[in-house]
Amino acid sequence: MSIIATSVAILKDNYAWLLRDSATGATAIVDPADPAPVIAAIEAAGGRLDLILLTHHHADHVAGTDAVRDRFGAPVVGAAADAHRLPRLDRAVTEADTVPLGAASARVIDTPGHTRGQINFFFADGAVLLSGDTLFSLGCGRLIEGNAAEMFASLEKLKALPDETLVCCGHEYTESNARFALSVAPDNAALRARVAEAAAQRAAGQPTVPSTMGSERAANPFLRAPDVAAFAALRAAKDKF
Ligand code: ZN
Ligand code: FE
């Protein structure tokens, strides 16, 4: 009885996520930016789609939404704050709202920073976090609209999730994030172990995600910044790296 998350590689380095509630077979897709591979993945999983979840308005996350909705007729859920610039929403949500998928349900977490209206979804059943472009493995999203204080607060909320939480993020950025992370924390053993794991995953042609929140808390420098000032300095350094 839990949510099973499977990555769908799309575009250059994006991931859409296929979610299946093992109790009922209910299925969702997260950030279906490229319709052809997303529709193929849904068909391969049985052709059922109950829900479309959007983390934020950037085209590399939402561009295929209407095509996928037209094909399967599933309702689209996204941030109320960004309803004006998202594809047409069937439900607009905000912090602490609950979004059902079969017998499971996600909690909406407002995570401004990368964009003003960014949201994440957390399924306690299965411990699955859809982190969009807020939290990546060994990195975090660039501050395109929000400021460092907002992003720091967003990451603090995510840090409170259980160790076993699967961090299902929007991009395969782990190897480039690893180079920066090692430059600021070369002696972090957990980081070095995670970098070795990610290198082996890439060498085997596999995704490096999802990682776990426990691993990210131990290895991701952006989750280890003690305060907003340190986080802001780290984010600025990464932008110039
Ligand atoms: Zn983005
Ligand atoms: Fe993105």
Side-chain angles (χ1 to χ4, degrees):
M1 291 253 296
S2 64
I3 295 294
I4 311 294
T6 307
S7 61
V8 182
I10 60 173
L11 306 175
K12 180 165 154 274
D13 53 26
N14 279 77
Y15 288 118
W17 290 90
L18 192 66
L19 308 178
R20 189 170 177 279
D21 172 39
S22 63
T24 63
T27 302
I29 191 78
V30 184
D31 288 355
D34 190 0
V38 161
I39 288 171
I42 294 164
E43 295 289 2
R48 173 175 177 172
L49 190 68
D50 301 88
L51 188 62
I52 300 171
L53 299 175
L54 305 178
T55 63
H56 67 298
H57 73 284
H58 286 157
D60 65 310
H61 297 260
V62 304
T65 300
D66 289 336
V68 173
R69 184 212 322 253
D70 290 350
R71 173 65 176 264
F72 297 101
V76 179
V77 176
D82 272 346
H84 61 287
R85 56 182 180 174
L86 286 164
R88 181 170 58 80
L89 298 180
D90 297 288
R91 185 175 170 206
V93 295
T94 188
E95 176 78 13
D97 280 351
T98 296
V99 182
L101 177 63
S105 66
R107 174 165 58 90
V108 174
I109 307 173
D110 281 341
T111 59
H114 175 69
T115 62
R116 209 160 288 124
Q118 178 107 195
I119 56 175
N120 287 186
F121 300 91
F122 176 65
F123 288 90
D125 294 321
V128 171
L129 172 70
L130 287 313
S131 67
D133 285 0
T134 304
L135 176 64
F136 300 120
S137 185
L138 303 182
C140 73
R142 284 189 299 131
L143 304 179
I144 295 177
E145 296 179 351
N147 60 39
E150 288 169 323
M151 184 59 116
F152 183 77
S154 295
L155 294 174
E156 288 285 296
K157 291 190 211 174
L158 302 185
K159 272 167 74 174
L161 297 173
D163 274 351
E164 66 272 20
T165 301
L166 295 170
V167 179
C168 300
C169 60
H171 287 271
E172 181 58 66
Y173 285 167
T174 311
E175 284 187 303
S176 85
N177 286 339
R179 288 189 282 278
F180 174 74
L182 284 172
S183 79
V184 297
D187 298 326
N188 180 336
L191 170 59
R192 291 162 65 142
R194 172 65 183 130
V195 172
E197 176 191 51
Q201 288 167 322
R202 293 313 280 163
Q206 294 166 0
T208 65
V209 295
S211 60
T212 67
M213 188 60 70
S215 168
E216 294 304 322
R217 258 197 299 269
N220 187 327
F222 294 96
L223 294 187
R224 299 176 66 74
D227 52 35
V228 175
F231 173 79
L234 203 58
R235 188 57 261 182
K238 172 70 161 62
D239 290 342
K240 289 189 228 103
F241 186 71

